[in-house]
Amino acid sequence: MISDPELDGTGETRPAEQAEEPPPREGEAGARRPWLWALGGAVIASAVWAGGLYAFGNLLAAPEVSYRATENLCQDFEARALGRIAGDLHRYRPRNQQDDHPAVRRAVCSLQNGESISTFTVRAQVDLHRKTDPGPEFDVPSAWLFAEGSGVRTEEVRGLGERALLLVGPRENSVELKVLHGGAVFTVVATGTGGERSTPADTAALQAATVEDARALLAALKKEGAR
């Protein structure tokens, strides 16, 4: 209800004084402000999270895998070129291992050129990544690199997958080849352990044989029609 203007002593009118808002009860203001801060923080956090999903959507998406899963890698990895250097590598107890994890399907084949004593070993590994792109971690040093110590030489191999790196040990008797193609990572490690039939005098032949056998493995596991 609007009150009538009051009269002062001079006959002039002045507006009635507005009623002051009562001060908040103890604890009321303190309880209101944290709630507003919490609401604002939740809105900001949701916006940041949504922006992060949008910005990193390509990284979170499942990578494209152009290669089939192998049931027995030792059958698909023939290692013919390396066999010409060290003898028949499938003759002595080829060991095949499989690990079908929801994130990565892994297959490993271990070969050697002797029964109880061997002078040449080969290890092939195929990792098919189902959840995340392995590209950002491709340059991370492997356990083989730490085992070889300092002096490892790295060379890039062109025309093999999307990226391929060849690492040569300091004694020139061991190499590791890593190949990246989409969600698939191929690794071939060849090591001479000494003796008459360890590695060729021409280290380039060992590197070329490793690349040749890796290329053949990629072709053997490539899905039909895949890029």
Side-chain angles (χ1 to χ4, degrees):
M1 177 177 180
I2 302 176
S3 60
D4 295 332
E6 296 182 1
L7 294 175
D8 60 8
T10 61
E12 296 179 355
T13 62
R14 59 182 176 86
E17 295 182 358
Q18 297 180 353
E20 297 183 358
E21 182 181 355
R25 293 190 297 272
E26 182 179 358
E28 183 178 354
R32 184 184 306 165
R33 290 181 180 179
W35 181 84
L36 292 175
W37 277 106
L39 177 60
V43 172
I44 294 174
S46 299
V48 172
W49 174 247
L53 288 178
Y54 177 79
F56 297 101
N58 291 336
L59 296 180
L60 297 176
E64 181 181 357
V65 178
S66 302
Y67 300 88
R68 63 175 176 84
T70 174
E71 299 299 330
N72 190 324
L73 184 57
C74 287
Q75 290 182 356
D76 292 311
F77 180 63
E78 297 181 349
R80 292 183 178 180
L82 290 169
R84 291 195 295 267
I85 293 174
D88 187 359
L89 293 169
H90 287 81
R91 178 180 177 184
Y92 302 100
R93 296 182 306 164
R95 292 187 304 244
N96 183 73
Q97 296 173 292
Q98 307 283 339
D99 184 13
D100 192 5
H101 190 274
V104 180
R105 176 158 184 156
R106 172 169 296 170
V108 178
C109 172
S110 300
L111 304 173
Q112 59 189 34
N113 69 340
E115 183 62 35
S116 57
I117 299 177
S118 61
T119 59
F120 193 85
T121 61
V122 177
R123 184 177 186 272
Q125 179 173 321
V126 179
D127 293 322
L128 304 181
H129 294 255
R130 296 166 166 169
K131 300 293 184 181
T132 57
D133 180 12
E137 300 179 0
F138 184 70
D139 290 318
V140 174
S142 63
W144 177 88
L145 180 62
F146 288 104
E148 288 293 322
S150 60
V152 174
R153 188 174 76 254
T154 303
E155 302 176 6
E156 186 172 354
V157 180
R158 299 186 180 276
L160 185 59
E162 294 177 9
R163 290 188 61 197
L165 297 176
L166 182 67
L167 292 82
V168 183
R171 294 182 300 275
E172 304 287 329
N173 66 340
S174 59
V175 298
E176 179 189 65
L177 175 65
K178 295 170 56 179
V179 182
L180 171 70
H181 191 175
V185 177
F186 296 80
T187 306
V188 179
V189 180
T191 304
T193 57
E196 183 180 353
R197 300 171 62 194
S198 57
T199 57
D202 184 4
T203 307
L206 176 62
Q207 300 175 39
T210 304
V211 173
E212 180 180 340
D213 284 340
R215 193 184 304 276
L217 177 60
L218 267 68
L221 297 182
K222 193 74 171 290
K223 294 179 181 178
E224 291 188 16
R227 294 179 298 174

